[in-house]
Amino acid sequence: RRFVEGGHSLSIYLSIQGHSDALLGAVVTQDDDAAQTLLADRSALGSQPGNLESWLLLRSLRTLHLRVAKQTENAQKIAAWLDSKEGGRSLGVSVVHHPSLPSRADHEIAKRQMPGGFGGVLSIELETEESAKALPSALSFFCDATSLGGVESLIEWRRKYDDGVPSGLLRLSIGVEDSEDLIADLEQGLNAVMGKRS
């Protein structure tokens, strides 16, 4: 509702399904003419979900609140570790993008706009393009994949798909695994690609 009232686009991150085994979507508009056209197209094309997809979605709705809470909690812990001098900053992480960090210029705005938590997606920038390209392959818990909101943690080197972003940028979609396991995985991976630092 807030997306429509504010005129913002609706992101797929919500990932109601969350188990990466069904694909569904939604089209939202405030324009009555566009809504009527979309409704007519849906009726003519039969674009309703099938029985299996509906069942998978219903199954997933039962755990949505638990998954989002855990993903958000994990992302905040991981972002804080990546942004700390003792953690990621000592291992070649130059920038951490997550609204939970008090050092971010948008933190106060995010606190007002996101009262339920700051979400499970964050991004980091490493010092070199080579290390950013290598990190996804150096991790054990994170899968090198492009998606958001699933129960598994994912990482991707964004430059592979978008040459308009910084060459050291990586996007992480945090899952429901134990945050300490994910941090340990990032630590060993950063050590491997950046060279052991003291």
Side-chain angles (χ1 to χ4, degrees):
R1 182 173 165 99
R2 288 183 185 172
F3 287 105
V4 174
E5 289 173 357
H8 301 290
S9 63
L10 182 64
S11 170
I12 195 168
Y13 173 72
L14 178 58
S15 190
I16 292 171
Q17 206 283 320
H19 296 283
S20 304
D21 58 7
L23 182 62
L24 298 164
V27 179
V28 180
T29 181
Q30 288 182 309
D31 182 290
D32 289 337
D33 292 335
Q36 290 305 313
T37 300
L38 289 167
L39 184 60
D41 286 350
R42 189 194 76 183
S43 297
L45 299 173
S47 58
Q48 301 81 294
N51 292 339
L52 176 61
E53 290 79 13
S54 297
W55 178 83
L56 290 169
L57 181 61
L58 179 61
R59 174 199 65 176
S60 298
L61 281 171
R62 294 177 178 130
T63 60
L64 175 64
H65 65 290
L66 300 171
R67 288 183 282 116
V68 171
K70 181 65 173 172
Q71 290 165 324
T72 298
E73 175 189 326
N74 281 350
Q76 286 183 225
K77 289 178 181 177
I78 291 166
W81 179 82
L82 287 165
D83 200 41
S84 71
K85 291 179 184 173
E86 305 79 29
R89 295 293 185 162
S90 68
L91 298 169
V93 176
S94 56
V95 180
V96 181
H97 302 280
H98 193 258
S100 68
L101 298 172
S103 60
R104 298 265 316 158
D106 58 0
H107 177 69
E108 289 303 316
I109 294 170
K111 276 176 38 177
R112 288 192 309 273
Q113 291 181 344
M114 306 169 88
F118 299 101
V121 176
L122 61 111
S123 61
I124 59 174
E125 294 179 44
L126 300 187
E127 293 172 357
T128 68
E129 178 176 333
E130 294 73 28
S131 59
K133 285 172 73 172
L135 184 60
S137 298
L139 300 174
S140 299
F141 280 92
F142 288 81
C143 294
D144 184 0
T146 301
S147 190
L148 300 169
V151 294
E152 64 282 327
S153 291
L154 307 175
I155 187 169
E156 66 172 344
W157 178 55
R158 289 300 301 160
R159 192 67 174 266
K160 182 173 20 175
Y161 306 105
D162 183 355
D163 60 7
V165 301
S167 63
L169 184 70
L170 293 144
R171 182 177 72 183
L172 293 79
S173 176
I174 307 301
V176 299
E177 306 92 342
D178 185 275
S179 61
E180 294 305 314
D181 288 339
L182 296 173
I183 289 170
D185 193 28
L186 288 165
E187 183 174 21
Q188 70 78 28
L190 287 165
N191 269 315
V193 301
M194 298 301 292
K196 189 73 172 171
R197 296 178 176 210
S198 51

